[in-house]
Amino acid sequence: MTAATPLGYDEAFLVIPLPLPRPVGDRAVRELPYPRFTVLLDPSRRLAAMTAVNIDGGALRDIARTGEWFLDERIPVGEQAGPAVYASNDVDRGHLVRRRDPGWGAPAEARAATEATFAYPNAAPQASVFNQSKELWLGLEDHVLEYADTTDQRVSVFTAPVLAATDPEYRGVQIPRRFFKVAAWSSTDDDPLRTTDPGIVGPRLLAAGFVLDQSELIDVREGVLATPPLSAYRTFQVPIADIEALAGVDLGPLVAADVLPPAAGFADGTVRGGDAWRPLGAADDVVLA
C-alpha cells in the first residue's frame, strides 16, 4: 500500500459520525486496519466478527483484478482460516469487504486498497453455487449507492458472518450458515429518500440491513463440505435490530436509522428467520425509502 493510503474504517466518513460496530460482551477480537476498511477478527472462530468499509461512490475506479490471497502477518497463522480450508472442495473464499469497495480515489491508493481485500481475515467460507440470489447479495452495495447518489454518494458498509455456536465444523473451522450486511448513508433535507417528518432538520443517518442464508447449501455429514446443486442462496432484507440480536453485535445508531419498518423483535429469545423476513428476488424488492 502507499504511504498516503489511510488505514482503517473512518468513523467520520459520512456527514454523521458512525462508530465501528463491535461484538457485545467480552468476546475477544483482533482489530486489523487495512486501506479504507477494518476487520474485527474473532481468533477463536478464525473468522471476522465484523468488517467495515467506506465507499465513495463518486470516486470509484474500475481497477483490474490484481492481488493474491495472503495471510496477515500481524496475527498468528492459527487465528486465520487460511488456504487449507478452501483447497480441493466447493468452498469459495468469499470476500466480506468486496474487492471493489475501497477502490476509489487516486489510482495507486485505489489499487492498494483493492489488493488488501485479499487478506484471509477478510474471507469467509461460502458455498460455490452461483445464482441469482448470490448475485443479488454481491450487488446490494451498488443498489444502495445508486440511491445514495442523490446526496454525496458515500456509503459505509458492515458485513460479517453470523458466528453461531451451532455452525457445522469443517477442517477445524465452523462454517457460517448466515451472513449479514448493513449499509448506511446520510440524507439531506432535499433528498427524496428522506423522511417527511418536519421535526427532523439537517442530515439524517439512514441504513438498510440484509441477511444471506446458505443453510441449505452446506452438508458436512461425511467429513467434506458438499453443496446441493439445485439449492439456492436465500437473501432477505431484515430489521437491523434483528441482525443485532442474531449476530451478537452492537450496531449502535444503525438500529434507529433503519429504513425498514420495525417488526417484532426477539423478546421471546427465538430467531424467526426467513419466515418473518422480507425475501429478495431482485434489487427492486429492496426497501430504501
Side-chain angles (χ1 to χ4, degrees):
M1 69 190 69
T2 66
T5 307
L7 287 179
Y9 165 77
D10 181 2
E11 297 185 355
F13 185 71
L14 303 180
V15 175
I16 301 170
L18 183 57
L20 174 64
R22 295 179 179 275
V24 298
D26 57 358
R27 188 163 148 199
V29 294
R30 305 281 188 261
E31 184 165 341
L32 302 171
Y34 300 93
R36 302 196 176 110
F37 69 96
T38 293
V39 174
L40 298 182
L41 184 73
D42 183 330
S44 64
R45 287 291 301 264
R46 301 167 61 191
L47 297 171
M50 178 65 65
T51 68
V53 61
N54 304 123
I55 309 171
D56 189 339
L60 279 171
R61 291 186 175 273
D62 187 11
I63 302 293
R65 185 184 179 96
T66 58
E68 300 289 340
W69 286 98
F70 64 93
L71 294 166
D72 193 315
E73 295 180 351
R74 295 173 292 182
I75 56 175
V77 172
E79 294 184 357
Q80 307 173 63
V85 177
Y86 304 94
S88 303
N89 54 28
D90 289 330
V91 182
D92 281 348
R93 288 170 291 201
H95 276 80
L96 296 172
V97 172
R98 295 188 311 169
R99 182 187 65 85
R100 71 183 296 263
D101 283 354
W104 50 269
E109 293 187 5
R111 182 171 298 281
T114 62
E115 291 181 351
T117 65
F118 287 91
Y120 272 106
N122 186 47
Q126 294 182 349
S128 61
V129 179
F130 197 92
N131 53 32
Q132 181 180 356
S133 295
K134 188 175 180 183
E135 290 174 351
L136 173 63
W137 176 256
L138 293 174
L140 284 173
E141 287 108 310
D142 293 333
H143 187 64
V144 173
L145 274 170
E146 290 175 6
Y147 278 86
D149 186 41
T150 58
T151 55
D152 60 5
Q153 294 183 293
R154 287 190 166 197
V155 174
S156 292
V157 177
F158 312 94
T159 308
V162 175
L163 301 180
T166 56
D167 288 336
E169 184 172 333
Y170 173 71
R171 295 184 179 178
V173 174
Q174 287 179 271
I175 306 298
R177 297 182 185 274
R178 289 170 168 160
F179 296 81
F180 69 85
K181 185 185 301 290
V182 178
W185 65 100
S186 59
S187 173
T188 56
D189 290 333
D190 58 354
D191 184 351
L193 294 181
R194 181 181 171 77
T195 179
T196 56
D197 185 347
I200 299 179
V201 178
R204 179 184 179 222
L205 183 68
L206 298 177
F210 308 93
V211 166
L212 179 144
D213 192 328
Q214 66 171 6
S215 298
E216 296 181 4
L217 294 176
I218 55 177
D219 184 353
V220 298
R221 288 174 297 179
E222 302 299 327
V224 297
L225 192 148
T227 58
L230 299 180
S231 296
Y233 285 79
R234 296 183 296 167
T235 305
F236 305 89
Q237 186 166 3
V238 175
I240 294 174
D242 283 17
I243 294 175
E244 187 174 61
L246 180 69
V249 295
D250 182 0
L251 294 173
L254 293 167
V255 174
D258 196 352
V259 297
L260 192 68
F266 287 79
D268 60 356
T270 60
V271 176
R272 299 163 303 155
D275 292 339
W277 293 339
R278 179 181 178 85
L280 302 178
D284 289 343
D285 296 332
V286 176
V287 173
L288 290 179

